[in-house]
Amino acid sequence: MSARPVVVIGDALLDVDLRGESHRRSPDAAAPVLDEPMSWFRPGGAALAARLLHEYDGTDVVLVTALGQDSAAEELANGLGSGVTLVALPLRERTPTKTRVQTGGATIARVDEGCEPTGQEVDGTDVRRILRGATAVLVSDYGLGLTRQNAVREALAEAAEHVPVVWDPHPRGAPPISGTRMVTPNEDEARVGEERGSGTRRAHRLTELWRVGAVTITLGKNGATWYDSEGESGWSRVTSVTESGDTCGAGDAFASACTAVLARGAGTSEAVDLGTRAASSFVADGAAAAYAKPRGVQEPSVNALVCPPAAKRARSRGERIVATGGCFDVLHAGHVDLLHRARALGDHLIVLINSDASVAALKGADRPVVPGSDRARVVAALACVDTVVIFDELTPVEILDRIRPDVWVKGGDYDPEELPETTVVRGAGGEVVTMPLLTGRSTSGLINRIRKHADMPTGHRPGG
């Protein structure tokens, strides 16, 4: 990535709207009969918050969450859009999914699957590394257990010492960590025992109870009220009220906008005002339902998947996993040729791409010329590529140890016996294959020719 990202960590959900028309009721139960319903998929929970945060001001976003090894994880990843990097922690067998059965614009039933709290403990090493590279952090807690884990809380406490942390709480979730910059409960989540009184009074109590920088209580169409540890308080009004009854996801829109604004160094008052406007616009534009897509409608490829669920699904189906890697800084015909031939060796091709920091360490301070998120997006657009992973290390040994591909492919200018990846790939039962490269194609040569061409006077350029 070209700049430090904002990190969203929390519980991602796949929201499914099962929509159908009903013209009759069941003869054996007091329930409507839906004729040929269609499923519409949309990101929910932390996944929606991550997408909204990227859309708010175009910042790169990393989503850290726990997904299962199922098709729901693939649908959720597909709904994130191209500006979100997904770090899928392998803590679940099933991806949390909430299906709303709808007819005539109304929800008549909901079915929850895989929504039990996670019982596995996360390895905090990756979480700490990701949070250390953040410019701000949004904790999107939906009560499924990730924010209760000690390793996660320790990493968040460390992050809160250096960057703004915004915590969007849940009634069944964990309390925010001390030092959080802002907590954003709604009215129900902000109740302190049996205390009654103004929202400002409750925000004051919670700021002291949680030992945080500020508490902002969202009040729906009545805006939001806040209090901070400096003794300042305020109320942000909604400038326009929509008649739409759908407010699903408004809290995510508010918290996402507040995080983006605080990341720029703004104060509480400005963050709350802009967050209120963002939530109002989100509801006016159709709220979360506006992000629903029927099966088969693809979003731009997610730019990176760590422990990719799609690859896990491929392995569970007995498919042959092929992996290859490189910087891919200015994609050229040699890259495309290698990727097509690598894909022919198996059923699922994973491309490992060096991060910007990794490229700079390998190639010099003037590289890459194309940021990591764009390089990943271009590679992911190739039909032969199934999954893209961005990694930070100088070599992909660590991520290969997780993926354990059946085949690791490198260009023919490498000796397999000298590659650091060979030991880990062969140790997991895989094979290492080298392929001859197209002659005369190299990124360095291409970049040098472009720079030389740019330095030439206009009248001397070929074709100028």
Side-chain angles (χ1 to χ4, degrees), residues 365-394:
D366 61 342
R367 299 281 298 277
V369 297
V370 179
S373 58
D374 287 353
R375 289 184 283 123
R377 213 169 298 176
V378 171
V379 171
L382 298 175
C384 60
V385 176
D386 298 288
T387 300
V388 175
V389 177
I390 297 178
F391 65 95
D392 287 323
E393 296 75 26
L394 296 182

Short mmCIF file of all heavy atoms in Angstrom, two decimals, residues 365-394:
data_model
loop_
_atom_site.label_atom_id
_atom_site.label_comp_id
_atom_site.label_asym_id
_atom_site.label_seq_id
_atom_site.Cartn_x
_atom_site.Cartn_y
_atom_site.Cartn_z
N ALA A 365 14.86 2.45 -3.01
CA ALA A 365 13.88 3.42 -2.48
C ALA A 365 12.96 3.98 -3.55
O ALA A 365 11.89 4.52 -3.23
CB ALA A 365 14.62 4.55 -1.78
N ASP A 366 13.35 3.91 -4.83
CA ASP A 366 12.50 4.46 -5.89
C ASP A 366 11.49 3.44 -6.41
O ASP A 366 10.78 3.70 -7.39
CB ASP A 366 13.35 4.96 -7.05
CG ASP A 366 14.20 3.85 -7.69
OD1 ASP A 366 14.39 2.80 -7.04
OD2 ASP A 366 14.69 4.06 -8.82
N ARG A 367 11.39 2.31 -5.79
CA ARG A 367 10.43 1.28 -6.16
C ARG A 367 9.55 0.95 -4.96
O ARG A 367 9.99 1.10 -3.82
CB ARG A 367 11.17 0.01 -6.63
CG ARG A 367 12.05 0.23 -7.85
CD ARG A 367 11.27 0.25 -9.14
NE ARG A 367 10.61 -1.02 -9.34
CZ ARG A 367 11.21 -2.12 -9.89
NH1 ARG A 367 12.46 -2.04 -10.30
NH2 ARG A 367 10.54 -3.23 -10.05
N PRO A 368 8.28 0.53 -5.17
CA PRO A 368 7.67 0.30 -6.48
C PRO A 368 7.19 1.61 -7.11
O PRO A 368 7.00 2.61 -6.41
CB PRO A 368 6.47 -0.59 -6.13
CG PRO A 368 6.07 -0.13 -4.76
CD PRO A 368 7.36 0.19 -4.05
N VAL A 369 6.96 1.57 -8.40
CA VAL A 369 6.36 2.72 -9.07
C VAL A 369 4.83 2.62 -9.06
O VAL A 369 4.13 3.61 -9.26
CB VAL A 369 6.86 2.86 -10.52
CG1 VAL A 369 8.36 3.10 -10.54
CG2 VAL A 369 6.52 1.62 -11.36
N VAL A 370 4.32 1.41 -8.80
CA VAL A 370 2.88 1.19 -8.69
C VAL A 370 2.60 0.69 -7.28
O VAL A 370 3.21 -0.29 -6.84
CB VAL A 370 2.38 0.14 -9.72
CG1 VAL A 370 0.89 -0.09 -9.57
CG2 VAL A 370 2.72 0.59 -11.14
N PRO A 371 1.70 1.33 -6.52
CA PRO A 371 1.42 0.90 -5.14
C PRO A 371 0.84 -0.50 -5.07
O PRO A 371 0.23 -0.99 -6.03
CB PRO A 371 0.43 1.95 -4.63
CG PRO A 371 -0.15 2.57 -5.85
CD PRO A 371 0.91 2.51 -6.91
N GLY A 372 1.04 -1.13 -3.92
CA GLY A 372 0.66 -2.53 -3.74
C GLY A 372 -0.80 -2.81 -4.02
O GLY A 372 -1.14 -3.83 -4.65
N SER A 373 -1.70 -1.94 -3.56
CA SER A 373 -3.13 -2.19 -3.78
C SER A 373 -3.47 -2.20 -5.25
O SER A 373 -4.29 -3.00 -5.72
CB SER A 373 -3.96 -1.13 -3.04
OG SER A 373 -3.62 0.17 -3.47
N ASP A 374 -2.82 -1.32 -6.05
CA ASP A 374 -3.07 -1.30 -7.49
C ASP A 374 -2.44 -2.51 -8.18
O ASP A 374 -3.03 -3.10 -9.09
CB ASP A 374 -2.52 -0.02 -8.10
CG ASP A 374 -3.35 1.20 -7.77
OD1 ASP A 374 -4.43 1.02 -7.15
OD2 ASP A 374 -2.93 2.32 -8.09
N ARG A 375 -1.23 -2.89 -7.75
CA ARG A 375 -0.60 -4.09 -8.33
C ARG A 375 -1.47 -5.32 -8.09
O ARG A 375 -1.67 -6.14 -9.00
CB ARG A 375 0.80 -4.29 -7.72
CG ARG A 375 1.80 -3.25 -8.19
CD ARG A 375 3.21 -3.51 -7.66
NE ARG A 375 3.36 -3.12 -6.26
CZ ARG A 375 3.75 -3.91 -5.29
NH1 ARG A 375 4.01 -5.20 -5.53
NH2 ARG A 375 3.89 -3.46 -4.05
N ALA A 376 -1.99 -5.43 -6.88
CA ALA A 376 -2.85 -6.58 -6.56
C ALA A 376 -4.12 -6.56 -7.39
O ALA A 376 -4.59 -7.60 -7.87
CB ALA A 376 -3.19 -6.57 -5.07
N ARG A 377 -4.69 -5.38 -7.57
CA ARG A 377 -5.94 -5.25 -8.32
C ARG A 377 -5.75 -5.66 -9.78
O ARG A 377 -6.60 -6.33 -10.37
CB ARG A 377 -6.41 -3.80 -8.23
CG ARG A 377 -7.90 -3.63 -8.22
CD ARG A 377 -8.28 -2.19 -7.87
NE ARG A 377 -7.83 -1.82 -6.53
CZ ARG A 377 -7.97 -0.62 -6.02
NH1 ARG A 377 -8.52 0.34 -6.72
NH2 ARG A 377 -7.56 -0.36 -4.80
N VAL A 378 -4.64 -5.26 -10.38
CA VAL A 378 -4.38 -5.59 -11.79
C VAL A 378 -4.16 -7.09 -11.95
O VAL A 378 -4.71 -7.72 -12.85
CB VAL A 378 -3.16 -4.79 -12.29
CG1 VAL A 378 -2.74 -5.29 -13.68
CG2 VAL A 378 -3.49 -3.30 -12.36
N VAL A 379 -3.36 -7.68 -11.05
CA VAL A 379 -3.11 -9.12 -11.14
C VAL A 379 -4.40 -9.91 -10.92
O VAL A 379 -4.69 -10.88 -11.61
CB VAL A 379 -2.02 -9.54 -10.12
CG1 VAL A 379 -1.92 -11.07 -10.04
CG2 VAL A 379 -0.68 -8.94 -10.49
N ALA A 380 -5.21 -9.47 -9.95
CA ALA A 380 -6.45 -10.18 -9.65
C ALA A 380 -7.44 -10.13 -10.80
O ALA A 380 -8.34 -10.96 -10.90
CB ALA A 380 -7.10 -9.59 -8.39
N ALA A 381 -7.29 -9.14 -11.70
CA ALA A 381 -8.21 -9.02 -12.83
C ALA A 381 -7.96 -10.06 -13.91
O ALA A 381 -8.81 -10.26 -14.79
CB ALA A 381 -8.10 -7.62 -13.44
N LEU A 382 -6.80 -10.75 -13.86
CA LEU A 382 -6.51 -11.78 -14.86
C LEU A 382 -7.36 -13.02 -14.61
O LEU A 382 -7.49 -13.48 -13.47
CB LEU A 382 -5.02 -12.15 -14.81
CG LEU A 382 -4.03 -11.02 -15.14
CD1 LEU A 382 -2.60 -11.51 -14.93
CD2 LEU A 382 -4.23 -10.54 -16.57
N ALA A 383 -7.93 -13.57 -15.66
CA ALA A 383 -8.83 -14.72 -15.52
C ALA A 383 -8.13 -15.94 -14.94
O ALA A 383 -8.77 -16.78 -14.31
CB ALA A 383 -9.45 -15.05 -16.88
N CYS A 384 -6.82 -16.04 -15.12
CA CYS A 384 -6.10 -17.23 -14.65
C CYS A 384 -5.78 -17.16 -13.16
O CYS A 384 -5.32 -18.14 -12.57
CB CYS A 384 -4.80 -17.42 -15.44
SG CYS A 384 -3.66 -16.02 -15.32
N VAL A 385 -5.99 -16.02 -12.53
CA VAL A 385 -5.64 -15.82 -11.12
C VAL A 385 -6.89 -15.98 -10.25
O VAL A 385 -7.92 -15.36 -10.50
CB VAL A 385 -5.02 -14.43 -10.89
CG1 VAL A 385 -4.76 -14.18 -9.41
CG2 VAL A 385 -3.72 -14.30 -11.69
N ASP A 386 -6.79 -16.81 -9.21
CA ASP A 386 -7.92 -17.06 -8.33
C ASP A 386 -7.84 -16.26 -7.03
O ASP A 386 -8.86 -15.81 -6.51
CB ASP A 386 -8.02 -18.56 -8.00
CG ASP A 386 -8.25 -19.39 -9.24
OD1 ASP A 386 -9.36 -19.33 -9.78
OD2 ASP A 386 -7.31 -20.08 -9.67
N THR A 387 -6.64 -16.11 -6.47
CA THR A 387 -6.47 -15.44 -5.19
C THR A 387 -5.17 -14.63 -5.21
O THR A 387 -4.18 -15.08 -5.79
CB THR A 387 -6.41 -16.45 -4.03
OG1 THR A 387 -7.62 -17.20 -3.99
CG2 THR A 387 -6.21 -15.76 -2.69
N VAL A 388 -5.20 -13.44 -4.58
CA VAL A 388 -4.02 -12.60 -4.47
C VAL A 388 -3.72 -12.36 -2.99
O VAL A 388 -4.64 -12.10 -2.21
CB VAL A 388 -4.22 -11.25 -5.19
CG1 VAL A 388 -3.02 -10.34 -4.95
CG2 VAL A 388 -4.43 -11.47 -6.68
N VAL A 389 -2.46 -12.45 -2.62
CA VAL A 389 -2.02 -12.20 -1.24
C VAL A 389 -0.88 -11.21 -1.27
O VAL A 389 0.07 -11.37 -2.04
CB VAL A 389 -1.54 -13.50 -0.56
CG1 VAL A 389 -1.02 -13.22 0.85
CG2 VAL A 389 -2.63 -14.54 -0.52
N ILE A 390 -0.97 -10.14 -0.48
CA ILE A 390 0.15 -9.22 -0.29
C ILE A 390 0.89 -9.61 0.99
O ILE A 390 0.26 -9.80 2.02
CB ILE A 390 -0.34 -7.76 -0.18
CG1 ILE A 390 -1.02 -7.33 -1.49
CG2 ILE A 390 0.81 -6.82 0.13
CD1 ILE A 390 -1.58 -5.92 -1.44
N PHE A 391 2.21 -9.74 0.92
CA PHE A 391 2.98 -10.11 2.11
C PHE A 391 4.07 -9.08 2.35
O PHE A 391 4.57 -8.44 1.41
CB PHE A 391 3.56 -11.52 1.99
CG PHE A 391 4.59 -11.68 0.89
CD1 PHE A 391 5.95 -11.57 1.17
CD2 PHE A 391 4.20 -11.95 -0.41
CE1 PHE A 391 6.90 -11.73 0.18
CE2 PHE A 391 5.14 -12.11 -1.42
CZ PHE A 391 6.50 -11.99 -1.12
N ASP A 392 4.47 -8.91 3.61
CA ASP A 392 5.41 -7.86 4.00
C ASP A 392 6.86 -8.31 4.06
O ASP A 392 7.77 -7.47 4.02
CB ASP A 392 5.03 -7.30 5.38
CG ASP A 392 3.79 -6.43 5.33
OD1 ASP A 392 3.62 -5.70 4.34
OD2 ASP A 392 2.99 -6.50 6.27
N GLU A 393 7.10 -9.60 4.18
CA GLU A 393 8.46 -10.08 4.37
C GLU A 393 9.25 -10.00 3.05
O GLU A 393 8.67 -9.82 1.98
CB GLU A 393 8.45 -11.51 4.89
CG GLU A 393 7.81 -11.67 6.27
CD GLU A 393 6.29 -11.56 6.24
OE1 GLU A 393 5.70 -11.85 5.18
OE2 GLU A 393 5.72 -11.16 7.26
N LEU A 394 10.58 -10.19 3.13
CA LEU A 394 11.40 -10.18 1.92
C LEU A 394 11.15 -11.40 1.06
O LEU A 394 11.29 -11.35 -0.17
CB LEU A 394 12.89 -10.09 2.29
CG LEU A 394 13.32 -8.79 3.00
CD1 LEU A 394 14.81 -8.81 3.27
CD2 LEU A 394 12.94 -7.57 2.17
#
